[in-house]
Amino acid sequence: MTAPTDISGVRLIIDLAALTRNWKRLCDFAPRAETAAVVKADAYGLGLTEVVPALLETGCRSFFVADPSEALAVRLLSPQSRVFVLGGLTAGCAGLLREQRLIPVLNSTEDVAVWREAAKDEASPLPAALQVDTGMNRLGLTMDEAQALTKEPSLLANIRLELVMSHLACADQPANPMTGEQRARFEAVRALFPGVPASLANSAGILQNAALGFDLTRPGIALYGGEAIEGAMGPMEVVVTAQARIVQLRDVKKGERIGYGATHECDRDSRIAIAAIGYGDGYHRIASGSGVPLRRLFPGAHGHVAGERVPLVGRISMDLAAFDISAVPAKYVKQGDWIEIFGENVALDDVARAAGTIGYELLTALSRRAERHYLPVKTRTH
Ligand SMILES: *Cc1c(COP(=O)(O)O)cnc(C)c1O
């Protein structure tokens, strides 16, 4: 017996060809820089084991992850590429990173000391990236600490700096003056390490201003088809489509109520589709049509079926959500059909906004319960 497919309530269609086209577009935005890829959090929830080979096939050679465990996963998929560990040197991991040729991002003078110690008996210098904080106050050495390193070269003994980097706090808001301030500080940092490639831009930085590209860019969300700059997809293509199975259709009379808490009352006779998606799949309960705290602060979520935009009504349950499909002629929707939760017709970031969050969180919250279909980079002939 062949295993039946599409037996999950939720189906994710992940278009790896669109992902690689997005990567190439990002290359074009910063033509003088190397374009890396940020694949932390299981490639923003899309699946590291599919995303990394697709990017390798397209020419990507440098990857960024959050911690050593993710770095090891990339190393298994790609023996040759550069893998940078953004979270620095987790206690006790220096030996592992050295052995697997993984590159720590040194975020503090303590990190520098640990890596120096790991490097001291090596025949050739160990690679590292150095992160300097330019105003975000998250990770990185202070400007003064970076300067101290240049005054005392023995502090970097047997360490080969592959990158000097910093991270932008406000690049998603093009009018925010903070980006210009960070760029000016970064220019000063870069001047301290002549000859070392420099990296500042995340997706929003790349799309906003070519001058932020420097020698290497670090896109994440734009690769995956999320909004990098607030309210704008730019030239990026949709990569992920989420669909939920309609498991029941019902006619609900005017005045009747729907869902837990009976929070939605139909103001007319309505046709309701019950779809097999809920907060157990990462469809945040706060995106419910009604009956959740703070609901009125956000626009309501909606789905898309048979060419119509259909509003979510009542509370989202763990596995189910109700959509008012009264606008769709009955003959166009039947039990078993799929309703689009986000994709070409419903923007990922609109659903995120309905949940008071961002596309990043929606993608990384998608559960493993969904069945995943990957569209290949190239259509292969068998
Ligand atoms: C996550 C991350 C990125 C990618 O950011 P996007 O906004 O997804 O493009 C780049 N650099 C650092 C340091 C990060 O932590």
Side-chain angles (χ1 to χ4, degrees):
M1 190 185 109
T2 51
T5 54
D6 291 334
I7 55 175
S8 302
V10 180
R11 168 162 95 173
L12 296 178
I13 300 157
I14 298 168
D15 187 345
L16 296 172
L19 171 97
T20 58
R21 285 192 296 272
N22 283 346
W23 185 79
K24 285 185 186 153
R25 282 190 189 97
L26 291 159
C27 294
D28 294 341
F29 268 83
R32 288 197 306 274
E34 175 184 349
T35 302
V38 181
V39 295
K40 61 198 182 190
D42 199 27
Y44 288 44
L46 273 61
L48 193 74
T49 44
E50 287 78 15
V51 165
V52 167
L55 289 169
L56 282 170
E57 195 176 329
T58 315
C60 182
R61 291 293 171 263
S62 299
F63 296 91
F64 286 81
V65 294
D67 69 22
S69 131
E70 294 182 338
L72 213 48
V74 176
R75 176 55 78 231
L76 289 171
L77 294 165
S78 172
Q80 298 308 328
S81 48
R82 295 197 297 171
V83 185
F84 293 92
V85 187
L86 290 164
L89 276 166
T90 311
C93 283
L96 172 74
L97 297 192
R98 185 179 55 201
E99 202 175 286
Q100 295 294 327
R101 297 166 291 110
L102 303 166
I103 308 175
V105 175
L106 307 176
N107 290 319
S108 63
T109 51
E110 288 79 4
D111 282 356
V112 173
V114 170
W115 200 234
R116 194 168 62 231
E117 178 63 23
K120 77 175 191 307
D121 297 326
E122 292 294 293
S124 52
L126 285 187
L130 187 73
Q131 175 148 240
V132 181
D133 182 71
T134 51
M136 187 173 181
N137 276 306
R138 193 175 67 171
L139 293 174
L141 284 79
T142 63
M143 306 269 287
D144 288 345
E145 288 168 339
Q147 191 138 36
L149 287 182
T150 60
K151 292 205 175 112
E152 189 45 79
S154 68
L155 292 173
L156 288 169
N158 219 23
I159 294 177
R160 184 182 76 245
L161 287 186
E162 299 237 336
L163 206 61
V164 56
M165 61 176 272
S166 190
H167 193 45
L168 295 168
C170 304
D172 57 322
Q173 307 155 1
N176 196 313
M178 176 108 176
T179 303
E181 292 159 22
Q182 286 195 273
R183 178 184 164 194
R185 284 188 211 114
F186 188 63
E187 292 280 10
V189 169
R190 187 189 180 211
L192 294 172
F193 301 93
V196 179
S199 173
L200 181 62
N202 55 359
S203 301
I206 300 164
L207 297 176
Q208 189 193 121
N209 183 349
L212 298 170
F214 291 95
D215 303 306
L216 180 141
T217 61
R218 310 187 307 268
I221 195 68
L223 290 172
Y224 309 111
E227 275 179 19
I229 293 180
E230 239 171 48
M233 268 292 276
M236 297 299 136
E237 284 179 61
V238 168
V239 173
V240 192
T241 300
Q243 299 170 330
R245 177 85 78 184
I246 296 173
V247 288
Q248 188 168 5
L249 290 162
R250 56 193 317 129
D251 292 305
V252 180
K253 292 263 175 293
K254 180 179 175 185
E256 288 189 63
R257 292 159 184 271
I258 293 170
Y260 279 123
T263 59
H264 178 81
E265 183 180 321
C266 293
D267 56 8
R268 55 186 157 74
D269 291 355
S270 306
R271 180 100 172 132
I272 302 296
I274 306 297
I277 186 166
Y279 58 78
D281 303 288
Y283 197 37
H284 299 297
R285 184 173 177 273
I286 198 173
S288 293
S290 59
V292 289
L294 309 182
R295 169 68 285 153
R296 68 190 185 289
L297 294 180
F298 315 117
H302 59 275
H304 192 273
V305 68
E308 293 289 340
R309 176 187 158 109
V310 292
L312 185 58
V313 290
R315 281 187 185 153
I316 293 173
S317 313
M318 186 184 294
D319 322 303
L320 297 165
F323 293 87
D324 184 337
I325 61 160
S326 304
V328 185
K331 63 178 175 190
Y332 293 133
V333 185
K334 58 183 190 311
Q335 182 174 328
D337 285 354
W338 298 92
I339 185 164
E340 181 181 311
I341 302 301
F342 57 79
E344 287 292 344
N345 302 293
V346 181
L348 165 74
D349 286 86
D350 283 346
V351 180
R353 273 185 280 275
T357 183
I358 52 178
Y360 299 70
E361 190 177 29
L362 202 61
L363 287 181
T364 53
L366 292 170
S367 96
R368 301 305 303 188
R369 174 158 69 168
E371 191 160 314
R372 286 155 187 255
H373 295 260
Y374 290 91
L375 307 184
V377 176
K378 294 191 189 92
T379 316
R380 291 182 182 82
T381 43
H382 294 275

